[in-house]
Amino acid sequence: MELPRRVIVGDGALTEFPRLVAGLVSGTLLAVSGPNVRKMVQDQLNELATSSGYKLAWCEVAQGDRLHTDNVLGMVRSVGADGILGVGGGRVVDVAKLVAHLAHIPMFSIPTSASHDGIAIPFASLREMERPYSVVATAPMGVLADLSIIRTAPERLLKSGCGDLVAKLTAVSDWKLARDEKNEYYGHYSASLAEMSASIVFQHADGVRRLEPSSVRAVVEALISSGVAAGIAGSSRPCSGAEHIFSHALETIAPGRGLHGEKCGIGTILIARLHGLDWARISDALKTIGAPVRASDLGLSADQVADAVRLAPSIRPERYTILHKLRLSYEEALKLAREVQII
Ligand SMILES: [Zn+2]
């Protein structure tokens, strides 16, 4: 099991930075961030690091591709970093996670938005040849989620995070399918934990729409718990099934349309119908939140949706899901998408 050692969540939690790293790492830390986040937190983090005896170096990344990973790895070596901080959104955290894995140093996740479960998951998804894929990395040693910062991030990011949470319902169904038909290892505990994370979306749909602090906290905690579920399972199985592969297929067919969690949310509605789950309940919850439930909300056509369903099994042939089992034709995919009203 790969699990974080210390998780701190709360308003103004950034000031707890010294407590996050104390006793877990010493010396020089490299903070990886995007330009906007850096402007927002650099001074405060520098001050907190210096006052607690750390040297903090900074490095900016824009995208999670191999090139940036190599650049950051170069920085780790040139500053002699003993640990790495991923400060920002999903891509930044993913790059930091992978570099930490390659450099054999601890990584600390400091999310500034709650757009997906990468915050604490021990796997990183990087883009290479226009095809996002998961690679094995190390779980963050610590997670520091400052809710007052996360609440100031664009609302769309939090709503996207809810799409990545409902995805756990179909991910777990696909995992059960792989257990029953492919004799794959299935962990009840991690599957239940992932399903509990998804249930937060139904309980807090109204609160998320109104950006109520208690609901924002619930979503952040659920995203962290999802990562923990994957850490317990030893794979991303409880968090990622056919709905994720559908989202990756869309990214290949129509790059850059919609956020990861938004595409997964729509994919969940679609895949839920195939598993005989209550897809309308999922769609209603996402609608209440104000998250997209139709392909056109993301600028995607019916044709692209049907193509993505057809292409999905070839994106990750080794991850058996309902789409691998059914191998839907273009026409069948169109019919399904119409049935669940995503086109
Ligand atoms: Zn995801």
Side-chain angles (χ1 to χ4, degrees):
M1 294 185 191
E2 281 277 347
L3 302 171
R5 282 276 299 275
R6 204 166 282 155
V7 177
I8 304 172
V9 180
D11 278 316
L14 201 65
T15 57
E16 302 278 338
F17 173 76
R19 198 159 67 83
L20 174 78
V21 288
L24 299 177
V25 67
S26 58
T28 301
L29 302 174
L30 178 67
V32 182
S33 78
N36 295 334
V37 167
R38 181 173 175 174
K39 259 184 235 132
M40 189 165 63
V41 299
Q42 182 172 14
D43 289 346
Q44 194 183 357
L45 268 183
N46 278 347
E47 210 181 299
L48 288 161
T50 310
S51 64
S52 45
Y54 292 89
K55 211 177 133 202
L56 191 54
W58 287 79
C59 167
E60 276 179 26
V61 296
Q63 284 197 326
D65 59 19
R66 181 67 67 181
L67 182 70
H68 286 289
T69 308
D70 291 343
N71 288 348
V72 178
L73 193 56
M75 265 297 268
V76 163
R77 292 187 178 130
S78 68
V79 302
D82 301 292
I84 186 161
L85 315 176
V87 192
R91 290 211 176 130
V92 162
V93 171
D94 274 355
V95 168
K97 217 185 282 171
L98 188 68
V99 170
H101 178 68
L102 295 170
H104 306 290
I105 54 175
M107 180 266 178
F108 297 84
S109 173
I110 307 182
T112 54
S113 63
S115 61
H116 64 68
D117 65 13
I119 298 170
I121 209 164
F123 304 92
S125 158
L126 295 187
R127 191 180 305 276
E128 193 171 319
M129 312 281 286
E130 289 304 317
R131 180 173 291 197
Y133 64 105
S134 282
V135 290
V136 176
T138 318
M141 182 75 86
V143 180
L144 180 64
D146 188 329
L147 297 172
S148 41
I149 293 176
I150 289 170
R151 278 202 307 275
T152 63
E155 273 175 46
R156 187 182 169 192
L157 297 176
L158 183 74
K159 292 171 179 176
S160 167
C162 292
D164 207 18
L165 284 176
V166 290
K168 310 321 172 209
L169 297 173
T170 43
V172 169
S173 294
D174 278 320
W175 198 12
K176 285 179 185 157
L177 185 75
R179 170 198 64 190
D180 296 343
E181 298 191 1
K182 299 286 168 189
N183 209 17
E184 210 178 285
Y185 162 77
Y186 174 83
H188 276 284
Y189 184 83
S190 49
S192 306
L193 189 57
E195 285 176 326
M196 264 169 57
S197 304
S199 70
I200 289 298
V201 174
F202 303 101
Q203 291 162 25
H204 287 271
D206 273 320
V208 171
R209 189 189 64 239
R210 293 195 296 263
L211 293 180
E212 277 173 19
S214 60
S215 296
V216 175
R217 172 187 274 270
V219 169
V220 171
E221 288 179 350
L223 288 169
I224 294 172
S225 301
S226 298
V228 169
I232 293 171
S235 87
S236 60
R237 263 292 190 191
C239 298
S240 159
E243 75 301 319
H244 268 73
I245 303 173
F246 166 75
S247 152
H248 296 331
L250 278 178
E251 190 57 38
T252 308
I253 292 166
R257 306 270 170 84
L259 301 171
H260 168 81
E262 293 175 334
K263 283 180 286 198
C264 288
I266 288 178
T268 303
I269 299 170
L270 193 84
I271 305 301
R273 169 76 183 79
L274 294 177
H275 277 297
L277 301 175
D278 189 350
W279 62 267
R281 181 172 175 247
I282 298 167
S283 179
D284 286 346
L286 292 176
K287 248 183 252 167
T288 301
I289 285 166
V293 293
R294 292 182 70 87
S296 56
D297 297 339
L298 303 179
L300 292 162
S301 66
D303 183 55
Q304 288 167 328
V305 168
D307 258 346
V309 171
R310 206 170 37 129
L311 179 69
S314 63
I315 296 263
R316 284 197 79 172
E318 80 294 354
R319 171 147 295 183
Y320 188 72
T321 71
I322 191 90
L323 288 179
H324 296 76
K325 179 185 164 107
L326 299 177
R327 301 269 170 187
L328 298 183
S329 67
Y330 179 88
E331 286 72 26
E332 288 169 329
L334 269 186
K335 186 168 168 272
L336 170 69
R338 285 197 190 106
E339 247 176 70
V340 297
Q341 297 159 22
I342 67 167
I343 59 170

